[in-house]
Amino acid sequence: MKYCSTCGHPVEQKIPQGDNRHRYVCLSCDTIHYQNPRIVAGTVPIWDGRILLCRRAIEPRYGYWTLPAGFMENAETTIEAAARETREEALAEVNIEGLYSIIDVPHINQVHMFYRATLTDGQFGAGDESLETQLFDLNDIPWDELSFPTVRKTLELYLEDLKSEAFQVHVTDIRYPMPARK
Ligand code: ZN
């Protein structure tokens, strides 16, 4: 951050009084520009025992497969965000079944949340941000072509839970880019 978004004056990094971290502070209008983690919300969309994945038509990770997910917007809930992203990227309507994973990704200042979901009518397609969408059999997940570590982690947890059909909420973190699956 270089300039104050309130008044346009250059900002400086300093620790405000009563704080313990460096913040971008405007010395002209005294605004403190706090920067906090962003939430990414998405779904694990299931239909007929298969998982719906989207192949990304945008950077980063163009051409890689992902669960439908994206940055939460102001004035919506995480469930609304997850359902909206599924609608936008996979042209699919879903019933949200429950929270599945919360994954902190502190090195990029994000929190990723995935909900278990079922397609309402089995309809899906490729939204503007997807090259294609496809239902994958659980044995055919394209592990070598997945987009993001949180998607991989969520799918790994899901397949593990599927063995016992006990879907708990998983709270975990990824603190560095995960190595490629062996
Ligand atoms: Zn200012």
Side-chain angles (χ1 to χ4, degrees), residues 141-144 146 152-153 155-156 159 178-182:
I141 302 289
W143 294 107
D144 293 332
L146 292 180
R152 172 186 302 275
K153 185 71 185 173
L155 288 172
E156 286 174 350
L159 264 61
M178 290 173 83
R181 193 185 167 94
K182 22 182 205 310

Side-chain angles (χ1 to χ4, degrees), residues 43-46 79 94-100 114-120 158 167:
T43 59
V44 183
I46 304 296
I79 285 178
V94 289
N95 293 320
I96 300 291
E97 308 290 346
L99 179 60
Y100 188 61
F114 288 93
Y115 287 89
R116 288 185 296 111
T118 50
L119 303 193
T120 57
Y158 190 85
F167 297 102

Side-chain angles (χ1 to χ4, degrees), residues 103 146-154 174 176-178:
I103 307 177
L146 292 180
S147 57
F148 301 112
T150 55
V151 169
R152 172 186 302 275
K153 185 71 185 173
T154 297
I174 292 173
Y176 50 85
M178 290 173 83

Side-chain angles (χ1 to χ4, degrees), residues 50-132:
R50 291 179 293 171
I51 299 181
L52 185 64
L53 298 179
C54 309
R55 204 154 73 85
R56 290 172 61 80
I58 52 171
E59 295 290 352
R61 304 296 277 168
Y62 179 98
Y64 286 79
W65 292 94
T66 187
L67 291 165
F71 288 109
M72 194 176 173
E73 300 286 0
N74 290 343
E76 68 183 357
T77 67
T78 54
I79 285 178
E80 288 167 349
R84 175 183 52 73
E85 290 291 343
T86 307
R87 188 178 307 120
E88 288 176 359
E89 296 181 5
L91 307 182
E93 296 298 325
V94 289
N95 293 320
I96 300 291
E97 308 290 346
L99 179 60
Y100 188 61
S101 63
I102 300 178
I103 307 177
D104 295 316
V105 199
H107 64 280
I108 53 172
N109 307 319
Q110 293 179 5
V111 178
H112 292 206
M113 302 176 64
F114 288 93
Y115 287 89
R116 288 185 296 111
T118 50
L119 303 193
T120 57
D121 55 10
Q123 300 291 312
F124 61 90
D128 289 343
E129 296 181 3
S130 302
L131 296 170
E132 59 179 315

Side-chain angles (χ1 to χ4, degrees), residues 4 6-9 26 28-31 33:
C4 176
T6 301
C7 77
H9 196 271
C26 177
S28 176
C29 75
D30 292 332
T31 300
H33 297 278

